[in-house]
PDB file of all heavy atoms in Angstrom:
ATOM      1  N   LYS A   1      11.605  27.536 -39.337  1.00 70.00           N
ATOM      2  CA  LYS A   1      11.326  27.976 -37.974  1.00 70.00           C
ATOM      3  C   LYS A   1      10.371  27.023 -37.279  1.00 70.00           C
ATOM      4  O   LYS A   1      10.518  26.727 -36.088  1.00 70.00           O
ATOM      5  CB  LYS A   1      10.740  29.389 -37.996  1.00 70.00           C
ATOM      6  CG  LYS A   1      11.734  30.451 -38.432  1.00 70.00           C
ATOM      7  CD  LYS A   1      11.080  31.797 -38.580  1.00 70.00           C
ATOM      8  CE  LYS A   1      10.608  32.343 -37.261  1.00 70.00           C
ATOM      9  NZ  LYS A   1      10.031  33.700 -37.397  1.00 70.00           N
ATOM     10  N   SER A   2       9.369  26.533 -38.035  1.00 74.00           N
ATOM     11  CA  SER A   2       8.422  25.588 -37.448  1.00 74.00           C
ATOM     12  C   SER A   2       9.113  24.287 -37.054  1.00 74.00           C
ATOM     13  O   SER A   2       8.837  23.725 -35.982  1.00 74.00           O
ATOM     14  CB  SER A   2       7.295  25.304 -38.446  1.00 74.00           C
ATOM     15  OG  SER A   2       6.411  24.333 -37.941  1.00 74.00           O
ATOM     16  N   LYS A   3      10.035  23.823 -37.916  1.00 75.00           N
ATOM     17  CA  LYS A   3      10.759  22.597 -37.609  1.00 75.00           C
ATOM     18  C   LYS A   3      11.646  22.783 -36.387  1.00 75.00           C
ATOM     19  O   LYS A   3      11.745  21.886 -35.525  1.00 75.00           O
ATOM     20  CB  LYS A   3      11.605  22.198 -38.822  1.00 75.00           C
ATOM     21  CG  LYS A   3      12.341  20.874 -38.653  1.00 75.00           C
ATOM     22  CD  LYS A   3      11.377  19.700 -38.546  1.00 75.00           C
ATOM     23  CE  LYS A   3      12.116  18.381 -38.481  1.00 75.00           C
ATOM     24  NZ  LYS A   3      11.197  17.230 -38.347  1.00 75.00           N
ATOM     25  N   ILE A   4      12.288  23.967 -36.285  1.00 74.00           N
ATOM     26  CA  ILE A   4      13.155  24.246 -35.123  1.00 74.00           C
ATOM     27  C   ILE A   4      12.336  24.264 -33.845  1.00 74.00           C
ATOM     28  O   ILE A   4      12.744  23.708 -32.815  1.00 74.00           O
ATOM     29  CB  ILE A   4      13.895  25.574 -35.332  1.00 74.00           C
ATOM     30  CG1 ILE A   4      14.908  25.439 -36.473  1.00 74.00           C
ATOM     31  CG2 ILE A   4      14.598  26.013 -34.046  1.00 74.00           C
ATOM     32  CD1 ILE A   4      15.584  26.729 -36.845  1.00 74.00           C
ATOM     33  N   ARG A   5      11.160  24.919 -33.899  1.00 77.00           N
ATOM     34  CA  ARG A   5      10.305  24.957 -32.702  1.00 77.00           C
ATOM     35  C   ARG A   5       9.849  23.559 -32.311  1.00 77.00           C
ATOM     36  O   ARG A   5       9.767  23.225 -31.124  1.00 77.00           O
ATOM     37  CB  ARG A   5       9.105  25.867 -32.957  1.00 77.00           C
ATOM     38  CG  ARG A   5       9.431  27.350 -32.917  1.00 77.00           C
ATOM     39  CD  ARG A   5       8.178  28.182 -32.809  1.00 77.00           C
ATOM     40  NE  ARG A   5       7.335  28.042 -33.986  1.00 77.00           N
ATOM     41  CZ  ARG A   5       7.378  28.846 -35.031  1.00 77.00           C
ATOM     42  NH1 ARG A   5       8.235  29.855 -35.054  1.00 77.00           N
ATOM     43  NH2 ARG A   5       6.572  28.663 -36.064  1.00 77.00           N
ATOM     44  N   GLN A   6       9.561  22.731 -33.313  1.00 78.00           N
ATOM     45  CA  GLN A   6       9.139  21.365 -33.015  1.00 78.00           C
ATOM     46  C   GLN A   6      10.262  20.581 -32.337  1.00 78.00           C
ATOM     47  O   GLN A   6      10.031  19.866 -31.353  1.00 78.00           O
ATOM     48  CB  GLN A   6       8.711  20.671 -34.309  1.00 78.00           C
ATOM     49  CG  GLN A   6       8.249  19.235 -34.096  1.00 78.00           C
ATOM     50  CD  GLN A   6       7.887  18.549 -35.407  1.00 78.00           C
ATOM     51  OE1 GLN A   6       7.824  19.193 -36.446  1.00 78.00           O
ATOM     52  NE2 GLN A   6       7.667  17.245 -35.345  1.00 78.00           N
ATOM     53  N   LEU A   7      11.478  20.732 -32.865  1.00 79.00           N
ATOM     54  CA  LEU A   7      12.616  20.046 -32.251  1.00 79.00           C
ATOM     55  C   LEU A   7      12.877  20.545 -30.839  1.00 79.00           C
ATOM     56  O   LEU A   7      13.216  19.764 -29.935  1.00 79.00           O
ATOM     57  CB  LEU A   7      13.864  20.231 -33.113  1.00 79.00           C
ATOM     58  CG  LEU A   7      13.841  19.559 -34.497  1.00 79.00           C
ATOM     59  CD1 LEU A   7      15.069  19.949 -35.305  1.00 79.00           C
ATOM     60  CD2 LEU A   7      13.760  18.039 -34.348  1.00 79.00           C
ATOM     61  N   GLN A   8      12.716  21.859 -30.637  1.00 73.00           N
ATOM     62  CA  GLN A   8      12.905  22.404 -29.295  1.00 73.00           C
ATOM     63  C   GLN A   8      11.865  21.856 -28.328  1.00 73.00           C
ATOM     64  O   GLN A   8      12.180  21.541 -27.172  1.00 73.00           O
ATOM     65  CB  GLN A   8      12.829  23.932 -29.350  1.00 73.00           C
ATOM     66  CG  GLN A   8      14.019  24.584 -30.027  1.00 73.00           C
ATOM     67  CD  GLN A   8      13.851  26.073 -30.182  1.00 73.00           C
ATOM     68  OE1 GLN A   8      12.732  26.603 -30.129  1.00 73.00           O
ATOM     69  NE2 GLN A   8      14.958  26.779 -30.385  1.00 73.00           N
ATOM     70  N   ARG A   9      10.622  21.755 -28.800  1.00 76.00           N
ATOM     71  CA  ARG A   9       9.575  21.193 -27.940  1.00 76.00           C
ATOM     72  C   ARG A   9       9.867  19.739 -27.602  1.00 76.00           C
ATOM     73  O   ARG A   9       9.687  19.298 -26.461  1.00 76.00           O
ATOM     74  CB  ARG A   9       8.211  21.324 -28.632  1.00 76.00           C
ATOM     75  CG  ARG A   9       7.644  22.730 -28.637  1.00 76.00           C
ATOM     76  CD  ARG A   9       6.180  22.714 -28.998  1.00 76.00           C
ATOM     77  NE  ARG A   9       5.957  22.148 -30.327  1.00 76.00           N
ATOM     78  CZ  ARG A   9       5.888  22.878 -31.442  1.00 76.00           C
ATOM     79  NH1 ARG A   9       6.050  24.187 -31.383  1.00 76.00           N
ATOM     80  NH2 ARG A   9       5.670  22.304 -32.609  1.00 76.00           N
ATOM     81  N   GLU A  10      10.305  18.977 -28.625  1.00 76.00           N
ATOM     82  CA  GLU A  10      10.607  17.568 -28.375  1.00 76.00           C
ATOM     83  C   GLU A  10      11.766  17.424 -27.395  1.00 76.00           C
ATOM     84  O   GLU A  10      11.744  16.549 -26.518  1.00 76.00           O
ATOM     85  CB  GLU A  10      10.932  16.875 -29.695  1.00 76.00           C
ATOM     86  CG  GLU A  10       9.737  16.751 -30.635  1.00 76.00           C
ATOM     87  CD  GLU A  10      10.119  16.129 -31.960  1.00 76.00           C
ATOM     88  OE1 GLU A  10      11.334  15.892 -32.173  1.00 76.00           O
ATOM     89  OE2 GLU A  10       9.219  15.885 -32.789  1.00 76.00           O
ATOM     90  N   LEU A  11      12.788  18.276 -27.529  1.00 79.00           N
ATOM     91  CA  LEU A  11      13.929  18.206 -26.623  1.00 79.00           C
ATOM     92  C   LEU A  11      13.520  18.577 -25.199  1.00 79.00           C
ATOM     93  O   LEU A  11      13.908  17.895 -24.232  1.00 79.00           O
ATOM     94  CB  LEU A  11      15.040  19.136 -27.111  1.00 79.00           C
ATOM     95  CG  LEU A  11      16.339  19.147 -26.304  1.00 79.00           C
ATOM     96  CD1 LEU A  11      16.966  17.761 -26.304  1.00 79.00           C
ATOM     97  CD2 LEU A  11      17.318  20.172 -26.865  1.00 79.00           C
ATOM     98  N   ALA A  12      12.717  19.635 -25.083  1.00 75.00           N
ATOM     99  CA  ALA A  12      12.248  20.030 -23.749  1.00 75.00           C
ATOM    100  C   ALA A  12      11.351  18.957 -23.141  1.00 75.00           C
ATOM    101  O   ALA A  12      11.404  18.674 -21.935  1.00 75.00           O
ATOM    102  CB  ALA A  12      11.504  21.359 -23.845  1.00 75.00           C
ATOM    103  N   GLN A  13      10.536  18.358 -23.993  1.00 78.00           N
ATOM    104  CA  GLN A  13       9.637  17.316 -23.491  1.00 78.00           C
ATOM    105  C   GLN A  13      10.415  16.087 -23.032  1.00 78.00           C
ATOM    106  O   GLN A  13      10.076  15.468 -22.008  1.00 78.00           O
ATOM    107  CB  GLN A  13       8.648  16.932 -24.590  1.00 78.00           C
ATOM    108  CG  GLN A  13       7.613  15.910 -24.157  1.00 78.00           C
ATOM    109  CD  GLN A  13       6.593  15.655 -25.246  1.00 78.00           C
ATOM    110  OE1 GLN A  13       6.278  16.523 -26.033  1.00 78.00           O
ATOM    111  NE2 GLN A  13       6.074  14.437 -25.294  1.00 78.00           N
ATOM    112  N   SER A  14      11.484  15.726 -23.770  1.00 82.00           N
ATOM    113  CA  SER A  14      12.280  14.564 -23.363  1.00 82.00           C
ATOM    114  C   SER A  14      12.986  14.833 -22.035  1.00 82.00           C
ATOM    115  O   SER A  14      13.081  13.932 -21.184  1.00 82.00           O
ATOM    116  CB  SER A  14      13.297  14.231 -24.457  1.00 82.00           C
ATOM    117  OG  SER A  14      14.210  15.293 -24.640  1.00 82.00           O
ATOM    118  N   ARG A  15      13.485  16.059 -21.839  1.00 83.00           N
ATOM    119  CA  ARG A  15      14.106  16.385 -20.546  1.00 83.00           C
ATOM    120  C   ARG A  15      13.075  16.355 -19.432  1.00 83.00           C
ATOM    121  O   ARG A  15      13.366  15.925 -18.309  1.00 83.00           O
ATOM    122  CB  ARG A  15      14.763  17.774 -20.623  1.00 83.00           C
ATOM    123  CG  ARG A  15      16.025  17.816 -21.458  1.00 83.00           C
ATOM    124  CD  ARG A  15      16.838  19.064 -21.138  1.00 83.00           C
ATOM    125  NE  ARG A  15      16.066  20.274 -21.438  1.00 83.00           N
ATOM    126  CZ  ARG A  15      16.169  20.967 -22.559  1.00 83.00           C
ATOM    127  NH1 ARG A  15      16.990  20.556 -23.518  1.00 83.00           N
ATOM    128  NH2 ARG A  15      15.470  22.062 -22.743  1.00 83.00           N
ATOM    129  N   MET A  16      11.864  16.826 -19.743  1.00 82.00           N
ATOM    130  CA  MET A  16      10.810  16.831 -18.741  1.00 82.00           C
ATOM    131  C   MET A  16      10.432  15.407 -18.348  1.00 82.00           C
ATOM    132  O   MET A  16      10.275  15.091 -17.157  1.00 82.00           O
ATOM    133  CB  MET A  16       9.578  17.577 -19.288  1.00 82.00           C
ATOM    134  CG  MET A  16       8.400  17.649 -18.326  1.00 82.00           C
ATOM    135  SD  MET A  16       6.958  18.412 -19.088  1.00 82.00           S
ATOM    136  CE  MET A  16       6.467  17.130 -20.250  1.00 82.00           C
ATOM    137  N   MET A  17      10.303  14.515 -19.352  1.00 85.00           N
ATOM    138  CA  MET A  17       9.933  13.140 -19.063  1.00 85.00           C
ATOM    139  C   MET A  17      11.014  12.441 -18.232  1.00 85.00           C
ATOM    140  O   MET A  17      10.698  11.577 -17.391  1.00 85.00           O
ATOM    141  CB  MET A  17       9.696  12.368 -20.365  1.00 85.00           C
ATOM    142  CG  MET A  17       8.514  12.884 -21.185  1.00 85.00           C
ATOM    143  SD  MET A  17       6.949  12.800 -20.271  1.00 85.00           S
ATOM    144  CE  MET A  17       5.801  13.464 -21.472  1.00 85.00           C
ATOM    145  N   ALA A  18      12.267  12.814 -18.441  1.00 85.00           N
ATOM    146  CA  ALA A  18      13.351  12.194 -17.678  1.00 85.00           C
ATOM    147  C   ALA A  18      13.334  12.594 -16.210  1.00 85.00           C
ATOM    148  O   ALA A  18      13.946  11.921 -15.373  1.00 85.00           O
ATOM    149  CB  ALA A  18      14.696  12.569 -18.298  1.00 85.00           C
ATOM    150  N   SER A  19      12.629  13.678 -15.891  1.00 84.00           N
ATOM    151  CA  SER A  19      12.564  14.137 -14.500  1.00 84.00           C
ATOM    152  C   SER A  19      11.420  13.504 -13.714  1.00 84.00           C
ATOM    153  O   SER A  19      11.369  13.632 -12.487  1.00 84.00           O
ATOM    154  CB  SER A  19      12.400  15.667 -14.468  1.00 84.00           C
ATOM    155  OG  SER A  19      13.462  16.308 -15.129  1.00 84.00           O
ATOM    156  N   ILE A  20      10.496  12.836 -14.406  1.00 85.00           N
ATOM    157  CA  ILE A  20       9.318  12.285 -13.727  1.00 85.00           C
ATOM    158  C   ILE A  20       9.680  11.208 -12.692  1.00 85.00           C
ATOM    159  O   ILE A  20       9.108  11.196 -11.589  1.00 85.00           O
ATOM    160  CB  ILE A  20       8.323  11.736 -14.765  1.00 85.00           C
ATOM    161  CG1 ILE A  20       7.787  12.887 -15.632  1.00 85.00           C
ATOM    162  CG2 ILE A  20       7.160  11.007 -14.090  1.00 85.00           C
ATOM    163  CD1 ILE A  20       6.903  12.450 -16.767  1.00 85.00           C
ATOM    164  N   PRO A  21      10.624  10.295 -12.970  1.00 87.00           N
ATOM    165  CA  PRO A  21      10.948   9.286 -11.937  1.00 87.00           C
ATOM    166  C   PRO A  21      11.437   9.884 -10.617  1.00 87.00           C
ATOM    167  O   PRO A  21      11.361   9.225  -9.574  1.00 87.00           O
ATOM    168  CB  PRO A  21      12.049   8.448 -12.604  1.00 87.00           C
ATOM    169  CG  PRO A  21      11.808   8.606 -14.067  1.00 87.00           C
ATOM    170  CD  PRO A  21      11.317  10.006 -14.235  1.00 87.00           C
ATOM    171  N   GLU A  22      11.940  11.110 -10.632  1.00 86.00           N
ATOM    172  CA  GLU A  22      12.417  11.743  -9.411  1.00 86.00           C
ATOM    173  C   GLU A  22      11.304  12.462  -8.657  1.00 86.00           C
ATOM    174  O   GLU A  22      11.546  12.989  -7.568  1.00 86.00           O
ATOM    175  CB  GLU A  22      13.525  12.746  -9.757  1.00 86.00           C
ATOM    176  CG  GLU A  22      14.722  12.114 -10.481  1.00 86.00           C
ATOM    177  CD  GLU A  22      15.741  13.164 -10.894  1.00 86.00           C
ATOM    178  OE1 GLU A  22      15.494  14.358 -10.613  1.00 86.00           O
ATOM    179  OE2 GLU A  22      16.766  12.788 -11.498  1.00 86.00           O
ATOM    180  N   ALA A  23      10.093  12.517  -9.238  1.00 85.00           N
ATOM    181  CA  ALA A  23       8.999  13.246  -8.599  1.00 85.00           C
ATOM    182  C   ALA A  23       8.487  12.495  -7.371  1.00 85.00           C
ATOM    183  O   ALA A  23       8.613  11.260  -7.267  1.00 85.00           O
ATOM    184  CB  ALA A  23       7.866  13.463  -9.600  1.00 85.00           C
ATOM    185  N   ASP A  24       7.882  13.251  -6.437  1.00 84.00           N
ATOM    186  CA  ASP A  24       7.292  12.644  -5.232  1.00 84.00           C
ATOM    187  C   ASP A  24       5.841  12.253  -5.452  1.00 84.00           C
ATOM    188  O   ASP A  24       5.356  11.299  -4.838  1.00 84.00           O
ATOM    189  CB  ASP A  24       7.382  13.638  -4.060  1.00 84.00           C
ATOM    190  CG  ASP A  24       8.824  13.881  -3.641  1.00 84.00           C
ATOM    191  OD1 ASP A  24       9.555  12.899  -3.450  1.00 84.00           O
ATOM    192  OD2 ASP A  24       9.218  15.059  -3.525  1.00 84.00           O
ATOM    193  N   VAL A  25       5.158  12.977  -6.365  1.00 86.00           N
ATOM    194  CA  VAL A  25       3.751  12.680  -6.622  1.00 86.00           C
ATOM    195  C   VAL A  25       3.376  13.261  -7.968  1.00 86.00           C
ATOM    196  O   VAL A  25       3.943  14.266  -8.421  1.00 86.00           O
ATOM    197  CB  VAL A  25       2.853  13.271  -5.509  1.00 86.00           C
ATOM    198  CG1 VAL A  25       2.945  14.795  -5.488  1.00 86.00           C
ATOM    199  CG2 VAL A  25       1.394  12.829  -5.676  1.00 86.00           C
ATOM    200  N   VAL A  26       2.429  12.601  -8.626  1.00 87.00           N
ATOM    201  CA  VAL A  26       1.843  13.109  -9.858  1.00 87.00           C
ATOM    202  C   VAL A  26       0.366  13.340  -9.599  1.00 87.00           C
ATOM    203  O   VAL A  26      -0.375  12.393  -9.297  1.00 87.00           O
ATOM    204  CB  VAL A  26       2.044  12.132 -11.034  1.00 87.00           C
ATOM    205  CG1 VAL A  26       1.277  12.614 -12.258  1.00 87.00           C
ATOM    206  CG2 VAL A  26       3.521  11.987 -11.364  1.00 87.00           C
ATOM    207  N   ILE A  27      -0.061  14.579  -9.693  1.00 86.00           N
ATOM    208  CA  ILE A  27      -1.464  14.938  -9.464  1.00 86.00           C
ATOM    209  C   ILE A  27      -2.151  14.974 -10.810  1.00 86.00           C
ATOM    210  O   ILE A  27      -1.674  15.612 -11.758  1.00 86.00           O
ATOM    211  CB  ILE A  27      -1.560  16.310  -8.758  1.00 86.00           C
ATOM    212  CG1 ILE A  27      -0.734  16.310  -7.474  1.00 86.00           C
ATOM    213  CG2 ILE A  27      -3.003  16.661  -8.450  1.00 86.00           C
ATOM    214  CD1 ILE A  27      -0.639  17.662  -6.803  1.00 86.00           C
ATOM    215  N   THR A  28      -3.292  14.290 -10.923  1.00 86.00           N
ATOM    216  CA  THR A  28      -3.979  14.158 -12.203  1.00 86.00           C
ATOM    217  C   THR A  28      -5.369  14.760 -12.144  1.00 86.00           C
ATOM    218  O   THR A  28      -5.918  15.021 -11.078  1.00 86.00           O
ATOM    219  CB  THR A  28      -4.098  12.675 -12.602  1.00 86.00           C
ATOM    220  OG1 THR A  28      -4.934  11.998 -11.656  1.00 86.00           O
ATOM    221  CG2 THR A  28      -2.727  12.018 -12.626  1.00 86.00           C
ATOM    222  N   ASN A  29      -5.954  14.916 -13.348  1.00 80.00           N
ATOM    223  CA  ASN A  29      -7.257  15.574 -13.477  1.00 80.00           C
ATOM    224  C   ASN A  29      -8.494  14.677 -13.379  1.00 80.00           C
ATOM    225  O   ASN A  29      -9.569  15.231 -13.042  1.00 80.00           O
ATOM    226  CB  ASN A  29      -7.298  16.350 -14.797  1.00 80.00           C
ATOM    227  CG  ASN A  29      -8.487  17.262 -14.895  1.00 80.00           C
ATOM    228  OD1 ASN A  29      -8.931  17.828 -13.915  1.00 80.00           O
ATOM    229  ND2 ASN A  29      -9.031  17.398 -16.092  1.00 80.00           N
ATOM    230  N   PRO A  30      -8.536  13.469 -13.796  1.00 70.00           N
ATOM    231  CA  PRO A  30      -7.466  12.500 -14.035  1.00 70.00           C
ATOM    232  C   PRO A  30      -7.050  12.311 -15.484  1.00 70.00           C
ATOM    233  O   PRO A  30      -6.045  11.657 -15.738  1.00 70.00           O
ATOM    234  CB  PRO A  30      -8.076  11.220 -13.525  1.00 70.00           C
ATOM    235  CG  PRO A  30      -9.517  11.357 -13.848  1.00 70.00           C
ATOM    236  CD  PRO A  30      -9.852  12.807 -13.687  1.00 70.00           C
ATOM    237  N   GLU A  31      -7.810  12.823 -16.473  1.00 73.00           N
ATOM    238  CA  GLU A  31      -7.502  12.483 -17.866  1.00 73.00           C
ATOM    239  C   GLU A  31      -6.864  13.636 -18.630  1.00 73.00           C
ATOM    240  O   GLU A  31      -5.995  13.419 -19.472  1.00 73.00           O
ATOM    241  CB  GLU A  31      -8.785  12.044 -18.584  1.00 73.00           C
ATOM    242  CG  GLU A  31      -9.387  10.768 -18.017  1.00 73.00           C
ATOM    243  CD  GLU A  31     -10.675  10.401 -18.720  1.00 73.00           C
ATOM    244  OE1 GLU A  31     -11.091  11.181 -19.599  1.00 73.00           O
ATOM    245  OE2 GLU A  31     -11.248   9.349 -18.410  1.00 73.00           O
ATOM    246  N   HIS A  32      -7.305  14.839 -18.354  1.00 83.00           N
ATOM    247  CA  HIS A  32      -6.860  15.967 -19.179  1.00 83.00           C
ATOM    248  C   HIS A  32      -5.530  16.569 -18.734  1.00 83.00           C
ATOM    249  O   HIS A  32      -4.761  17.041 -19.571  1.00 83.00           O
ATOM    250  CB  HIS A  32      -7.933  17.066 -19.197  1.00 83.00           C
ATOM    251  CG  HIS A  32      -9.226  16.621 -19.787  1.00 83.00           C
ATOM    252  ND1 HIS A  32      -9.361  16.316 -21.123  1.00 83.00           N
ATOM    253  CD2 HIS A  32     -10.445  16.403 -19.226  1.00 83.00           C
ATOM    254  CE1 HIS A  32     -10.604  15.944 -21.369  1.00 83.00           C
ATOM    255  NE2 HIS A  32     -11.288  15.989 -20.226  1.00 83.00           N
ATOM    256  N   PHE A  33      -5.251  16.575 -17.446  1.00 86.00           N
ATOM    257  CA  PHE A  33      -4.046  17.237 -16.935  1.00 86.00           C
ATOM    258  C   PHE A  33      -3.289  16.305 -15.998  1.00 86.00           C
ATOM    259  O   PHE A  33      -3.898  15.545 -15.246  1.00 86.00           O
ATOM    260  CB  PHE A  33      -4.394  18.530 -16.184  1.00 86.00           C
ATOM    261  CG  PHE A  33      -5.149  19.528 -17.015  1.00 86.00           C
ATOM    262  CD1 PHE A  33      -6.509  19.697 -16.848  1.00 86.00           C
ATOM    263  CD2 PHE A  33      -4.498  20.284 -17.971  1.00 86.00           C
ATOM    264  CE1 PHE A  33      -7.216  20.603 -17.608  1.00 86.00           C
ATOM    265  CE2 PHE A  33      -5.193  21.198 -18.734  1.00 86.00           C
ATOM    266  CZ  PHE A  33      -6.560  21.362 -18.564  1.00 86.00           C
ATOM    267  N   SER A  34      -1.945  16.439 -16.045  1.00 88.00           N
ATOM    268  CA  SER A  34      -1.081  15.737 -15.100  1.00 88.00           C
ATOM    269  C   SER A  34       0.042  16.679 -14.693  1.00 88.00           C
ATOM    270  O   SER A  34       0.637  17.354 -15.555  1.00 88.00           O
ATOM    271  CB  SER A  34      -0.490  14.463 -15.710  1.00 88.00           C
ATOM    272  OG  SER A  34      -1.503  13.505 -15.942  1.00 88.00           O
ATOM    273  N   VAL A  35       0.343  16.706 -13.394  1.00 89.00           N
ATOM    274  CA  VAL A  35       1.379  17.591 -12.863  1.00 89.00           C
ATOM    275  C   VAL A  35       2.253  16.779 -11.916  1.00 89.00           C
ATOM    276  O   VAL A  35       1.746  16.174 -10.967  1.00 89.00           O
ATOM    277  CB  VAL A  35       0.774  18.801 -12.121  1.00 89.00           C
ATOM    278  CG1 VAL A  35       1.889  19.669 -11.558  1.00 89.00           C
ATOM    279  CG2 VAL A  35      -0.119  19.611 -13.043  1.00 89.00           C
ATOM    280  N   ALA A  36       3.564  16.761 -12.167  1.00 89.00           N
ATOM    281  CA  ALA A  36       4.497  16.038 -11.312  1.00 89.00           C
ATOM    282  C   ALA A  36       5.216  17.034 -10.405  1.00 89.00           C
ATOM    283  O   ALA A  36       5.774  18.017 -10.887  1.00 89.00           O
ATOM    284  CB  ALA A  36       5.507  15.270 -12.158  1.00 89.00           C
ATOM    285  N   LEU A  37       5.188  16.764  -9.093  1.00 88.00           N
ATOM    286  CA  LEU A  37       5.795  17.650  -8.109  1.00 88.00           C
ATOM    287  C   LEU A  37       6.940  16.950  -7.397  1.00 88.00           C
ATOM    288  O   LEU A  37       6.887  15.742  -7.143  1.00 88.00           O
ATOM    289  CB  LEU A  37       4.757  18.104  -7.075  1.00 88.00           C
ATOM    290  CG  LEU A  37       3.540  18.882  -7.590  1.00 88.00           C
ATOM    291  CD1 LEU A  37       2.594  19.200  -6.450  1.00 88.00           C
ATOM    292  CD2 LEU A  37       3.986  20.161  -8.289  1.00 88.00           C
ATOM    293  N   LYS A  38       7.951  17.749  -7.082  1.00 88.00           N
ATOM    294  CA  LYS A  38       9.091  17.236  -6.325  1.00 88.00           C
ATOM    295  C   LYS A  38       9.392  18.203  -5.193  1.00 88.00           C
ATOM    296  O   LYS A  38       9.391  19.419  -5.387  1.00 88.00           O
ATOM    297  CB  LYS A  38      10.319  17.089  -7.231  1.00 88.00           C
ATOM    298  CG  LYS A  38      11.542  16.553  -6.505  1.00 88.00           C
ATOM    299  CD  LYS A  38      12.734  16.460  -7.455  1.00 88.00           C
ATOM    300  CE  LYS A  38      13.959  15.932  -6.728  1.00 88.00           C
ATOM    301  NZ  LYS A  38      15.143  15.851  -7.612  1.00 88.00           N
ATOM    302  N   TYR A  39       9.656  17.610  -4.002  1.00 85.00           N
ATOM    303  CA  TYR A  39       9.945  18.451  -2.838  1.00 85.00           C
ATOM    304  C   TYR A  39      11.194  17.931  -2.150  1.00 85.00           C
ATOM    305  O   TYR A  39      11.297  16.747  -1.813  1.00 85.00           O
ATOM    306  CB  TYR A  39       8.760  18.449  -1.868  1.00 85.00           C
ATOM    307  CG  TYR A  39       9.016  19.251  -0.611  1.00 85.00           C
ATOM    308  CD1 TYR A  39       9.259  20.615  -0.675  1.00 85.00           C
ATOM    309  CD2 TYR A  39       9.031  18.632   0.630  1.00 85.00           C
ATOM    310  CE1 TYR A  39       9.510  21.360   0.466  1.00 85.00           C
ATOM    311  CE2 TYR A  39       9.279  19.373   1.789  1.00 85.00           C
ATOM    312  CZ  TYR A  39       9.526  20.733   1.696  1.00 85.00           C
ATOM    313  OH  TYR A  39       9.778  21.468   2.824  1.00 85.00           O
ATOM    314  N   GLU A  40      12.158  18.847  -1.974  1.00 82.00           N
ATOM    315  CA  GLU A  40      13.386  18.510  -1.264  1.00 82.00           C
ATOM    316  C   GLU A  40      13.173  18.772   0.227  1.00 82.00           C
ATOM    317  O   GLU A  40      13.063  19.933   0.642  1.00 82.00           O
ATOM    318  CB  GLU A  40      14.563  19.346  -1.781  1.00 82.00           C
ATOM    319  CG  GLU A  40      14.936  19.081  -3.229  1.00 82.00           C
ATOM    320  CD  GLU A  40      15.585  17.725  -3.408  1.00 82.00           C
ATOM    321  OE1 GLU A  40      15.987  17.114  -2.391  1.00 82.00           O
ATOM    322  OE2 GLU A  40      15.688  17.261  -4.564  1.00 82.00           O
TER     323      GLU A  40
END
């Protein structure tokens, strides 16, 4: 179960990273947090 959760996190994270180039802005903390926003 732990391995499955890890794979799910990695898959979700890879999909999330693929969406960053489409973002309009990345708001940072600047070191601890980063949030990418997109507006149509």
Side-chain angles (χ1 to χ4, degrees):
K1 292 174 67 177
S2 176
K3 184 65 176 179
I4 292 174
R5 285 195 296 267
Q6 180 183 351
L7 293 174
Q8 289 174 340
R9 286 195 300 267
E10 292 177 355
L11 182 61
Q13 183 175 329
S14 63
R15 288 198 299 263
M16 180 185 71
M17 296 300 180
S19 302
I20 295 175
E22 302 176 0
D24 293 311
V25 64
V26 173
I27 305 173
T28 65
N29 191 35
E31 296 178 357
H32 298 292
F33 302 103
S34 293
V35 179
L37 300 178
K38 180 181 180 181
Y39 177 62
E40 295 289 346

